[in-house]
Amino acid sequence: MSRSSTAVLTDAHGHRLSLGKKIGSGGEGDVFLVPKHPESVAKVYKSPPAAEHLRKLEAMVSIGRDHRELPSIAAWPTSLIRSERNREPIGFLMPKLLDVRDIHELYTPKDRSNHFPKADWGFLLHTTINCADAFEKIHQHGHVVGDVNQSNVVVGTDSCVRLIDCDSMGVRAATKFFPATPVGIDAYTPPEFQGQALHNVQRNQNHDCFGLAVLLFQLLFVGRHPYSGSPRAKTPHGQSGFTDAIRNGDFAYSLKSTGNLAPPPGVPTLDLVPKSVGALFERAFSRSTKRPTAAAWCSSLRSLESQIKTCPTYKGHKYPSQHSVCPWCKLVNKGGTEYFFTAANQFAAWTPEADEFHAILNDAQNDLHLVEVPILPTWRRTAVVPTPVRLTLPAKPEPRLPPFKASAVNRYVPDQPVVGPPELPPPPIAPKLPARPISSVLPELHLPPEPVPRSSDSHVLKRESRLAEWSVASLHVVAVMAWLFPLTIPVFVVYY
């Protein structure tokens, strides 16, 4: 039985605290439901935390009471949990997050079709604004996220973003700064820290902005990592993965540099977004260490959101107004992937190559290796070929994307409800041909008249009539014998 299950726990007021079902587990501790506090969950450490970490938690609880917006955008510690026996802190309470998913389940096309089937590019764009806004609120109070990755940011169906694993953040208290926990993932670590032990460095907000830019890029560019692409030349021996690409500044989608990586085929390029947003990505992924702040991202992305328009052909396609033709339709028409499954899925069919394509994509993300992505179509529109007379039309689709609730300021509200494609006109009906008599088609047959028998040939006719009768009778006898012959064979066999 675990330590947390047997110990008697109390909250900050000394009241006994009973733990419910375990809903999560990590390297440091486990997360439990708290029946007496249904709006909160409890994180209980597997081993007693160090004294410095306890002082950091106490500072975070105090900061959260003074700044209520922090618990609203993050799983911020709100109260310490102590052991009743020796009053030793062994965990903390934090807000309970309902109906949220890891952010990678939104920007990955396959996962989005399962967990966010109504999300279009406008929804992804609004999520980027909320993500940048959450980072900005953390930075406003002098804190550092530190371990930025795809599993420490969660998003709900209303596009609201929350940050989790907050006890690993860098926290600025009144008189001291508590550094972030020295852990991280290479795919979100800035180039100056690639290949280094994080115990020897102290991360700041500028380092957060690199990981933030990677998350925003993955949201806007349907899951693609900015340093994952097709090699322009043969990769040097021993050089692979995000570590070398980030260290060398090989931003695959850059419009300015000609590094070793290029965008893979069948994916949107940096000119999908306006030049102002593209310039921020160029700065964030350049060799310069002065990266765009979270506030700069919020301002630029909000401006972009005001320029969004809907594709006239497929209502599930949203894109910046700078494009005269829908860029998502252009990708599909060139044999690329259909990334959005809202209105467009009325004419889409899942092909067998889809699982193989996304397996390659996910393996590349998880194993952190650069791969040359093949051109494998996933969602393909089935061509509608009319027949001359009969054509079975699909039923008129129901609205695919009802408007979101607008109770919260940062919830995504589409500009208009998404409806299916326009109803096709009825097929032409072939005209009926008038009936024509057979005589008008076939030529008239002229047969010669039958000869009239002469009286002198009467005895010949009688003889021929009798011969015909005998022939018919003989044929009947032969038929009966042929029918009886197979029946007599078993009798002879048994007799002999």
Side-chain angles (χ1 to χ4, degrees), residues 210 214 225-229 242 245-246 249-252 261 284-286 370:
F210 178 85
V214 174
H225 193 279
Y227 291 90
S228 175
F242 289 112
I246 294 175
D250 287 333
F251 175 33
L261 295 177
F285 302 134
S286 67
L370 293 175

Side-chain angles (χ1 to χ4, degrees), residues 14 67 93 175 218 439:
H67 304 283
L93 295 177
T175 59
Q218 290 176 310
S439 59

Side-chain angles (χ1 to χ4, degrees), residues 437-452:
I438 191 65
S439 59
S440 63
V441 180
L442 298 178
E444 185 177 358
L445 300 179
H446 299 278
L447 299 178
E450 295 184 358
V452 180

